Each structure stands twice: as C-alpha cells, then as structure tokens.
Amino acid sequence: MGPIGVLSLQGDFREHLEVLNALSVPTVRVRTPEDLAGISGLIIPGGESTVIDKLSKIYELSIPIKALVAEGLPVFGTCAGLIMLANELLDATESQETFGGLDVVVQRNAFGSQVDSFETELDFKGIARKISAAFIRAPIVSSVGPDVDILSTLPNGQIVAVRQGNLLGISFHPEICEEYAVHEYFVAMCRTAKFAASN
Ligand code: GLN
C-alpha cells in the first residue's frame, strides 16, 4: 500500500499524522498536486472549511482531489473535512465550495455557540467498542442519500458518521482523544481498496 496523504493546508493535520505514525502507516503531507502521487488514501482534517476551500484552490489541489474522489480514492474527512466531502451544505458562506462526493447534506456549526464543544462516547458501526469523540464547532449530517451508510449517531438521532463507498466522513475529532479506532477503520478501507493515485 502507498502512503496515506494528509491534506496539510490548515487545521489539525499534525494530529492526524501522529495517529498514522502511531499505527505505523506511511504518510505524506499533501500541500501540492505532486504530493498526491502514489497515495492510497487521503485524510482531510478538521479546521475551518472556508479556509481549506480557499487554500485548496490557491494551491491547485481542488481539481486533482475532486478527480481522485471520482476515481475512487479512499478519503476520510473529519469535521471541516466532512464539510469538504459533502455534496450540499447548510449555512455555508456565500462563495463556499466543497470537493463533494458524499451524497449528504451537512449543516455547518450545527450545535450553535451555546454548546460549541463537548466530548462523548459513541457507538460506531464496524467498531466493536465505544469510541471517544470530541465535537468542536461541529457540523452534523442533516440528510443522506440512498447509498449512504450511517455509522454513528448521537443519542438524539443526529447523524455524526457516514460512509459511501470509499468515502468516510465524521463530525468529530478522534485524533485529539488518543482514539485510534476510526483511523484503523480507514486504514483497513485503504488496504482493501488498493488504490494508488497516478497524478
Ligand atoms: N466549523 C468549522 C467549519 O465550518 C468546522 C470545525 C472543525 O473542523 N472543528 O469549517
């Protein structure tokens, strides 16, 4: 398997690199189109989706990432990364765009300013124990298309993790909770997909 790329323009990409290092998975920091060559998966970190959108255009990464998503590259988006994978947004800024690929509607900053951060434990389909999750000005998935598998919800039913084919999107941050299970789940997806980006 080739390395897993971590989009390293803005946000908590260092924490994702640390988790992959702890799992002994080879990594590459993705900052230019050339960095995408040979990757077997890509992580889009949490941060600020409007900034990741702008920087990915400036660094000429937006078009090649969209193409790789369409070709079936396994991609894992956390929080702002989930926003970047959504086909449709609620509460986007006026010019905000996403890479898209996930047939979901994602609402940004869904918990409002009163409860903007919290930690909890979640059931996650495909992981045999509860996982630790930190929500930070988090989005939620407000609706899903027919091919989208819901992997985790909050007790009130709000959808916080989804998968569609090789795309995995979660509202929260396991990488700041010393929680490696979701990354292990994604690494297994990459091993199964055996994708090697040719850019
Ligand atoms: N609210 C942020 C956004 O819209 C996401 C927050 C996060 O990634 N922790 O991009």
Side-chain angles (χ1 to χ4, degrees):
M1 190 177 81
I4 293 185
V6 179
L7 187 63
S8 301
L9 300 175
Q10 190 267 339
D12 75 335
F13 53 87
R14 291 176 197 84
E15 285 78 359
H16 285 282
L17 289 161
E18 277 166 22
V19 175
L20 294 174
N21 289 341
L23 296 175
S24 302
V25 174
T27 57
V28 59
R29 288 177 186 233
V30 173
R31 289 198 168 119
T32 68
E34 292 71 35
D35 296 332
L36 295 165
I39 60 171
S40 290
L42 178 68
I43 294 180
I44 306 174
E48 175 50 51
S49 55
T50 53
V51 177
I52 295 174
D53 172 34
K54 284 192 186 119
L55 290 177
S56 64
K57 287 171 183 153
I58 292 169
Y59 285 80
E60 297 181 341
L61 281 161
S62 177
I63 290 169
I65 288 175
K66 280 182 192 162
L68 287 171
V69 167
E71 285 170 33
L73 176 73
V75 185
F76 175 23
T78 64
C79 205
L82 163 68
I83 294 170
M84 291 305 300
L85 286 177
N87 281 354
E88 204 180 319
L89 298 182
L90 297 175
D91 297 328
T93 61
E94 206 177 310
S95 59
Q96 182 171 6
E97 291 181 320
T98 68
F99 301 137
L102 275 177
D103 183 14
V104 295
V105 181
V106 165
Q107 182 176 5
R108 294 181 63 221
N109 303 320
F111 298 95
S113 55
Q114 281 179 329
V115 192
D116 69 358
S117 300
F118 60 98
E119 283 188 44
T120 189
E121 307 250 287
L122 294 170
D123 288 318
F124 194 102
K125 192 174 161 187
I127 298 176
R129 58 166 176 81
K130 283 199 185 283
I131 59 160
S132 305
F135 290 77
I136 304 167
R137 291 183 307 285
I140 55 157
V141 178
S142 52
S143 69
V144 300
D147 298 329
V148 177
D149 202 9
I150 295 169
L151 302 183
S152 187
T153 55
L154 288 171
N156 66 6
Q158 285 175 313
I159 301 167
V160 294
V162 291
R163 177 172 175 182
Q164 182 180 6
N166 281 336
L167 302 180
L168 176 67
I170 66 175
S171 300
F172 52 90
H173 296 269
E175 72 283 1
I176 61 170
C177 300
E178 289 179 40
E179 173 58 78
Y180 298 167
V182 189
H183 287 73
E184 285 175 332
Y185 178 100
F186 179 64
V187 172
M189 278 172 62
C190 296
R191 291 216 163 96
T192 307
K194 293 196 181 73
F195 194 97
S198 57
N199 290 49

